[in-house]
Amino acid sequence: MNFEEILNENQLKAVKHKDGPLLILAGAGSGKTRVITYRIAYLISVYGISPENILAVTFTNKAAEEMKGRIEKVVGKKAEKIWMSTFHSFGCRILRNHCDKIGYSKNFSIYDEDDRERLVKECMNFAKISEKQIKPYEVIRKIQDIKNQLLTPEEFYSYANDYNSKLVARIYEIYEEKLKFNNAFDFDDLIKKPIELFRIDKEILNKYQEKFKYILIDEYQDINNSQYVLVSTLAEKYKNICVVGDDDQSIYRFRGADITNILDFEEDYPDATVIRLEQNYRSTKTILKAAHSVISKNKGRKDKELWTENEQGQKIVLTYTEDATKEAEAILKEVDRLLRTTDANLKDMSVFYRTNAQSRVIEDCFRRNGIPYKLIGGIQFYGRMEIKDILAYLRLIVNPNDILSFKRVINIPPRGIGEASITKLEEYAIENEMSIFDAIKDIQNIPDIKESIKESFYQFYNMIKGISENRNNMSLTEIVKTILSETRYIDYWKSDASIKSDERIENVRELVSAISEFEEKRKDATLEDFLNQVALITDIDRMDKNANAITLMTIHSAKGLEFDNVFIAGMNEDLFPHKNCIDEPGGIEEERRLCYVGMTRAKKRLFLFTTLFRRQYGSKNISSVSRFIDEIPYELLEIKGKTLIKEYINKDSFIEDMQPRFEEYIDETPLYKPGEKVRHKIMGEGVILKIEPHGDDYKLTVVFKKHGKKVLSANFAGLEKI
DNA sequence: AGCGATGTATTTTTT
DNA sequence: ATACATCGCT
């Protein structure tokens, strides 16, 4: 492998750096992934570092897998020994090995966002705190913050001065107790608990500090406090820590990401080497210039400007449409045009948006017009109700202490067991510090439960126990199939008349195939392995890059990806930047970084869309163009839909609310000229014969190849130039 | 326990 | 608009 030939000067410097802290400031598209992969390959193949001494933390599981594959091509099979995963998977692995040291057993459950919400609500119930006093959502956010700061309930109590904080402190205390009782970790625990472990057991810490002599952290700008502590702790001994990131691409502040981690790296490690990667290999000059012009409005960033040898490329197309439906149609039109007039495939295209809710209109449009798409995010596959039901059964088999999972499925399908009986059983279990199943064994001692219900509890217990005792003789697929047949879960949905029930059954079947696929890939895998994997997998990890379909996702999900053609929908004020961010300090800057991330995903062409109206809680409201559009130099934009603006600006009702910035885009010249070839959705190809003004609109006379001469309205015909 | 009617708030982004 | 919680009824 000749590293000199495939890397530029700075990339090579980063790859060849051996010992000591290293900060790589890698701009968008600067070949960051290459540098990480080749650096690891170099450490192993040239410096002779043993693969098991390397820890690499990436942003997605998929990125880890891909990098590992590429490293394997250079150094061979031994690449397997590298620990390469996301922060959370790493923490999970540590806990699987050592959680007994902090009072958990290794069949623990991992609670996701949905589980966490249920648990918080339970805790609030328990503490007699109503959802009117404080919203569960707010509590979850606070608890997340507290955990990122690594505070115990007692510690937080001492900080809690105001009323709300005291409520949260109380809920947090119960929440932590319940997690422990259930032998469960939430996402934050996967970082926090390993730190606790390392603090308690210096021997284990020492073992891992010795093991991970070389540490690499990707997307360092997006790590939060607890992740920072975890990394620093591990790197403390050898300080061979290489971090890669870009302060302009920090977009996860809402989950505690702290941009000062990367900004202060040189203070943390005064002898750090700093390497900047500023040559961009991804985008056109136009795209890069526009993106830079936007991001440079941010204050307090490390000043830098990327450059590229790539061609100028076409202008950025900004399209005005009336509303989200028309916006979706405009995207479709552009997609269609690209497919016909360029060599682009659907898999080279992606539509980004700020909020998941925006995907629906676009999905509808694509579905109606037969455009295959893959949707990332929103309600994730493993977040679906029916999938979570089955997973709860599986968890319960693995971890009988998991009361949350127990309660989820004890009456699904219905077994005639109600809230009241469940609560009595749970209280008995908690009082006697026993698992919920041991409580069932004792059920004759619990007063006020009807005999028939006791019998139902017993049956449920026997079913789970039966599968549990047998599970070593069964494959994972057999286990899940047994659950389905014993619970008659599919029948339960078949008897449900709603339109969604077919889809649910389909999803359950897909879960079964996912399990058998998993089992095939990892022959010795246990049910625990599967559940852990599922808890930490994301839609991005499941994405099939080669499927010929256009990708729909939020800009957050798009981080780290690139596409030839990028469409960003909803460039509207209050949506992007989102209204919830506007008052928050630093909120706008974060949104601007998000915009920068979105724009810099594009390699060849970038299309932005904005609407004159947006629907909000049902009603249609006037909406203005995103400020980020104004931050793009006008000469880099090609604007479509000007006649539409003109139409609205002449309406009295509209003019009052009209933002002045619309004015500059008004163009009196009609969009079409005689002699131009156009295409109509229904009538196909034709040539424009005549144009005459008609109110705010234009009357077009067009001769179509197949349908002859027609007179159309320019605004409504939806003609496309060819 | 389960159903339907009524009222009410609406989560921005994700491991 | 719509999902979701709550309440009262069977």
Side-chain angles (χ1 to χ4, degrees):
Chain A
M1 171 114 250
N2 194 342
F3 293 91
E4 275 78 5
E5 271 172 24
I6 50 174
L7 299 165
N8 71 29
E9 193 189 335
N10 281 346
Q11 289 175 334
L12 194 63
K13 234 193 263 175
V15 165
K16 285 187 165 177
H17 175 94
K18 184 163 179 266
D19 293 329
L22 172 65
L23 167 63
I24 304 173
L25 291 168
S30 63
K32 183 185 70 166
T33 309
R34 285 167 77 85
V35 168
I36 298 175
T37 44
Y38 288 126
R39 184 172 144 71
I40 295 174
Y42 202 89
L43 284 173
I44 296 170
S45 64
V46 178
Y47 292 134
I49 309 294
S50 180
E52 54 258 41
N53 290 139
I54 298 173
L55 168 66
V57 178
T58 57
F59 198 65
T60 64
N61 292 296
K62 185 153 202 169
E65 231 171 85
E66 284 173 2
M67 280 189 204
K68 222 169 179 177
R70 278 193 249 174
I71 295 167
E72 204 173 296
K73 286 208 178 106
V74 185
V75 306
K77 264 275 172 236
K78 61 185 171 186
E80 280 296 313
K81 291 273 169 62
I82 306 167
W83 276 44
M84 201 163 200
S85 69
T86 61
F87 262 110
H88 291 86
S89 300
F90 170 73
C92 180
R93 195 165 171 185
I94 295 285
L95 291 171
R96 271 297 278 282
N97 291 341
H98 307 287
C99 65
D100 51 316
K101 291 281 191 308
I102 50 169
Y104 287 78
S105 57
K106 65 168 182 281
N107 56 343
F108 57 79
S109 303
I110 297 172
Y111 284 175
D112 66 11
E113 206 57 39
D114 178 58
D115 302 319
R116 186 193 298 220
E117 190 180 327
R118 284 162 188 260
L119 195 61
V120 163
K121 282 180 181 168
E122 270 182 29
C123 297
M124 291 175 65
N125 249 338
F126 185 82
K128 304 268 185 297
I129 296 169
S130 95
E131 297 188 14
K132 297 213 167 72
Q133 286 171 277
I134 187 164
K135 277 181 278 180
Y137 178 72
E138 198 185 328
V139 177
I140 292 167
R141 289 293 305 275
K142 283 266 172 56
I143 290 180
Q144 208 168 357
D145 275 356
I146 300 166
K147 289 191 141 187
N148 278 338
Q149 294 312 315
L150 301 169
L151 298 174
T152 62
E154 301 77 53
E155 284 165 337
F156 184 67
Y157 258 121
S158 62
Y159 292 107
N161 296 319
D162 57 303
Y163 179 70
N164 258 17
S165 299
K166 281 178 185 153
L167 287 182
V168 172
R170 176 84 186 107
I171 300 165
Y172 177 41
E173 188 184 9
I174 302 166
Y175 175 81
E176 290 287 279
E177 270 169 25
K178 280 197 189 283
L179 275 178
K180 182 95 188 255
F181 193 76
N182 286 4
N183 193 30
F185 295 117
D186 66 12
F187 283 138
D188 303 316
D189 283 337
L190 297 178
I191 314 297
K192 184 174 174 265
K193 295 292 177 184
I195 296 172
E196 276 173 32
L197 169 80
F198 291 147
R199 284 183 180 164
I200 290 169
D201 195 320
K202 294 292 169 201
E203 212 171 296
I204 293 179
L205 171 62
N206 191 47
K207 181 185 142 189
Y208 283 104
Q209 285 177 334
E210 283 297 330
K211 177 172 171 55
F212 300 127
K213 291 196 172 74
Y214 290 86
I215 297 175
L216 286 97
I217 312 290
D218 192 10
E219 306 283 4
Y220 195 71
Q221 77 281 359
D222 271 327
I223 71 166
N224 62 33
N225 176 258
S226 55
Q227 291 167 333
Y228 170 79
V229 171
L230 183 60
V231 172
S232 318
T233 308
L234 285 168
E236 210 177 323
K237 197 156 193 172
Y238 285 96
K239 296 198 166 48
N240 292 325
I241 175 172
C242 165
V243 306
V244 189
D246 177 4
D247 54 308
D248 287 334
Q249 293 185 62
S250 173
I251 55 173
Y252 281 99
R253 204 177 57 135
F254 69 92
R255 65 173 197 216
D258 187 352
I259 196 166
T260 57
N261 286 327
I262 192 164
L263 297 175
D264 294 346
F265 186 81
E266 292 161 80
E267 285 169 37
D268 290 341
Y269 302 94
D271 58 333
T273 306
V274 182
I275 295 172
R276 288 164 185 270
L277 304 179
E278 292 185 331
Q279 180 176 3
N280 173 293
Y281 294 93
R282 180 186 293 153
S283 309
T284 64
K285 288 195 174 76
T286 303
I287 291 167
L288 218 52
K289 193 167 172 200
H292 178 259
S293 153
V294 171
I295 196 67
S296 60
K297 299 285 186 299
N298 271 4
K299 308 202 165 54
R301 57 186 280 275
K302 295 201 175 199
D303 195 35
K304 57 187 169 306
E305 184 164 0
L306 302 180
W307 58 279
T308 184
E309 286 170 355
N310 291 347
E311 57 193 37
Q312 200 67 42
Q314 66 168 49
K315 282 187 178 184
I316 293 163
V317 181
L318 171 66
T319 305
Y320 283 85
T321 61
E322 188 176 333
D323 57 19
T325 314
K326 294 269 169 58
E327 178 179 67
E329 283 166 13
I331 294 169
L332 173 80
K333 225 162 141 184
E334 207 64 71
V335 168
D336 183 55
R337 195 185 60 79
L338 287 176
L339 288 176
R340 280 185 292 99
T341 61
T342 71
D343 58 356
N345 291 312
L346 283 174
K347 67 168 187 280
D348 310 318
M349 304 180 195
S350 186
V351 183
F352 302 161
Y353 34 79
R354 176 67 239 270
T355 67
N356 280 306
Q358 290 168 259
S359 73
R360 221 174 91 187
V361 187
I362 302 167
E363 277 182 80
D364 285 348
C365 178
F366 282 179
R367 203 177 309 122
R368 270 202 311 275
N369 290 281
I371 301 283
Y373 63 88
K374 37 195 168 181
L375 180 73
I376 310 289
I379 299 155
Q380 307 218 350
F381 178 73
Y382 287 101
R384 299 218 159 88
M385 189 200 313
E386 60 279 15
I387 301 301
K388 292 218 67 182
D389 286 346
I390 304 303
L391 292 177
Y393 274 109
L394 293 174
R395 274 184 187 175
L396 205 49
I397 286 165
V398 168
N399 176 12
N401 293 308
D402 189 341
I403 300 185
L404 200 73
S405 294
F406 175 86
K407 287 204 278 195
R408 180 179 186 107
V409 292
I410 179 65
N411 205 30
I412 303 268
R415 299 183 176 89
I417 297 172
E419 197 66 47
S421 310
I422 299 172
T423 308
K424 276 177 202 133
L425 183 73
E426 186 188 8
E427 277 169 3
Y428 183 86
I430 292 174
E431 254 169 52
N432 295 286
E433 290 189 30
M434 52 172 59
S435 81
I436 200 89
F437 288 117
D438 287 337
I440 292 177
K441 277 196 258 175
D442 268 15
I443 204 156
Q444 288 311 338
N445 302 334
I446 309 175
D448 304 327
I449 298 181
K450 263 198 285 182
E451 211 48 48
S452 64
I453 292 178
K454 286 185 179 174
E455 186 52 35
S456 301
F457 273 128
Y458 254 128
Q459 276 176 15
F460 183 83
Y461 164 67
N462 280 327
M463 174 183 70
I464 299 293
K465 191 175 137 205
I467 301 172
S468 189
E469 279 170 356
N470 247 319
R471 79 176 170 110
N472 292 331
N473 308 322
M474 289 193 278
S475 71
L476 304 188
T477 315
E478 280 166 350
I479 295 174
V480 70
K481 280 185 174 165
T482 311
I483 289 172
L484 291 177
S485 62
E486 296 224 350
T487 59
R488 308 172 60 81
Y489 189 81
I490 302 271
D491 291 343
Y492 160 62
W493 281 115
K494 273 189 184 152
S495 63
D496 182 289
S498 78
I499 323 147
K500 284 200 157 182
S501 58
D502 282 347
E503 196 188 318
R504 295 194 195 282
I505 294 168
E506 218 22 73
N507 285 333
V508 172
R509 299 229 158 92
E510 204 185 318
L511 176 69
V512 177
S513 353
I515 290 178
S516 72
E517 220 174 278
F518 176 81
E519 198 163 30
E520 219 153 276
K521 234 198 269 172
R522 298 179 43 182
K523 290 265 188 278
D524 53 340
T526 63
L527 194 48
E528 282 91 331
D529 292 326
F530 178 74
L531 290 173
N532 287 344
Q533 199 244 196
V534 160
L536 300 174
I537 205 171
T538 64
D539 267 8
I540 286 281
D541 297 321
R542 286 161 39 87
M543 182 173 125
D544 177 3
K545 260 192 193 163
N546 297 316
N548 198 25
I550 185 166
T551 318
L552 270 51
M553 63 183 138
T554 62
I555 305 176
H556 281 89
S557 299
K559 167 158 174 170
L561 305 177
E562 57 177 28
F563 296 90
D564 284 347
N565 307 287
V566 165
F567 309 83
I568 305 180
M571 295 298 298
N572 285 77
E573 207 57 15
D574 287 352
L575 181 62
F576 192 24
H578 198 275
K579 59 175 182 301
N580 293 8
C581 306
I582 291 175
D583 322 313
E584 280 182 43
I588 288 293
E589 299 222 336
E590 172 114 341
E591 294 286 297
R592 189 174 281 115
R593 288 193 292 271
L594 191 57
C595 183
Y596 177 74
V597 168
M599 294 173 78
T600 52
R601 298 309 94 196
K603 291 160 88 170
K604 294 184 183 158
R605 303 177 197 87
L606 177 60
F607 302 88
L608 306 175
F609 297 82
T610 186
T611 62
L612 300 183
F613 296 93
R614 292 216 87 94
R615 225 165 248 289
Q616 191 186 26
Y617 304 143
S619 59
K620 200 172 178 181
N621 298 320
I622 285 172
S623 177
S624 52
V625 180
S626 168
R627 68 189 72 187
F628 302 142
I629 294 290
D630 295 337
E631 294 169 4
I632 299 172
Y634 190 63
E635 67 273 14
L636 299 181
L637 291 172
E638 174 192 337
I639 295 162
K640 290 190 178 175
K642 295 176 199 174
T643 50
L644 177 73
I645 302 160
K646 180 172 157 24
E647 179 189 342
Y648 278 102
I649 211 163
N650 285 342
K651 287 185 180 166
D652 293 344
S653 62
F654 192 78
I655 217 156
E656 290 162 23
D657 297 295
M658 185 58 92
Q659 300 283 323
R661 64 174 78 104
F662 276 128
E663 307 271 6
E664 70 192 57
Y665 296 149
I666 292 172
D667 185 346
E668 291 292 337
T669 55
L671 273 172
Y672 307 98
K673 288 192 277 288
E676 272 183 333
K677 280 189 181 175
V678 291
R679 176 178 282 109
H680 185 272
K681 251 192 206 151
I682 296 153
M683 288 180 274
E685 281 185 30
V687 179
I688 295 185
L689 214 61
K690 197 164 70 174
I691 298 174
E692 36 199 338
H694 184 76
D696 296 335
D697 197 359
Y698 294 92
K699 232 170 28 179
L700 305 176
T701 311
V702 188
V703 185
F704 289 99
K705 273 187 190 163
K706 290 191 182 137
H707 295 81
K709 199 194 279 185
K710 300 274 175 194
V711 180
L712 306 165
S713 142
N715 281 341
F716 297 102
L719 290 176
E720 180 195 354
K721 293 189 205 185
I722 51 174

